[in-house]
Structures are given as structure tokens and as C-alpha cells.
Amino acid sequence: MYRQGDVLIVPVAPSAVPGAVAHLARRPRDARGRLVLALGEVTGHAHAVLGPGELVREGGPFAPAWLHLPEGGRVVHEEHAAITLPSGWFRVVRQREYAPGAVRMVAD
């Protein structure tokens, strides 16, 4: 497993990737050519992947995202050390926190 701030990246065997992922829309790259895993609501910084690959997100704010890196890649963020990922499939999960009366995403 890999963690960068409030983002958890879990390697997944190709056979464990749900079939529905093939039919989900691919997330576009940002203006800098990155696949953004999570955007910091407070700072505007982003956990983003550099390198070839695809990112798909299931519906809903708490749903996981699926990242496919055919050649590996690097996860970068303005306030964290970069992480090198091997090639393969990954499940991307955002950390959540409990506040009285609500569950919300952690704001980086």
C-alpha cells in the first residue's frame, strides 16, 4: 500500500478490478497533464499522477477511484515527497473523518 497525505493507493490484481470499471468514463487530465487523484479544498494543491495511465471514478463522493498505470508512474504533491508506483492497477481511497452529524473527506 502507498499513502500520501489523505490519499491511500492500494495495488489490485487485474482480476479483482470490477468489470464495470471498463465502462466508466476516464477522468481528464488537468491543464498540467496530470491525473488528479484528490484536489486540496483548502490549499488548491493536488495529489496527482505523472506518466501514462487512466483514472476512473465510480459515482458518489465516497466511492473509490481506479488507477491503471501500464508503465508505472509517480504520485506528486506540493507538500509531500513523491511516490513511485509500479505498473498495474490500483484502488484509490480518500481518507474520511467523522464530525458530529456528518462524515466528510479530509481536506488537505
Side-chain angles (χ1 to χ4, degrees):
M1 287 192 265
Y2 305 88
R3 178 174 292 282
Q4 189 184 68
D6 59 333
V7 176
L8 177 66
I9 303 166
V10 182
V12 177
S15 61
V17 176
V21 168
H23 305 291
L24 296 173
R26 286 1 190 194
R27 303 293 286 201
R29 291 179 179 268
D30 71 359
R32 294 166 53 183
R34 307 173 303 171
L35 292 171
V36 176
L37 304 178
L39 185 61
E41 298 165 4
V42 175
T43 62
H45 296 163
H47 297 277
V49 175
L50 304 176
E54 296 180 321
L55 177 67
V56 297
R57 190 173 306 278
E58 296 179 33
F62 298 110
W66 298 92
L67 175 65
H68 182 237
L69 300 175
E71 301 174 17
R74 289 184 47 164
V75 182
V76 297
H77 186 276
E78 292 83 350
E79 298 173 344
H80 300 285
I83 298 172
T84 300
L85 298 176
S87 63
W89 279 95
F90 302 87
R91 183 172 180 243
V92 181
V93 182
R94 293 280 311 274
Q95 182 176 343
R96 297 179 280 263
E97 63 187 2
Y98 174 78
V103 174
R104 62 181 181 219
M105 294 290 184
V106 171
D108 204 29

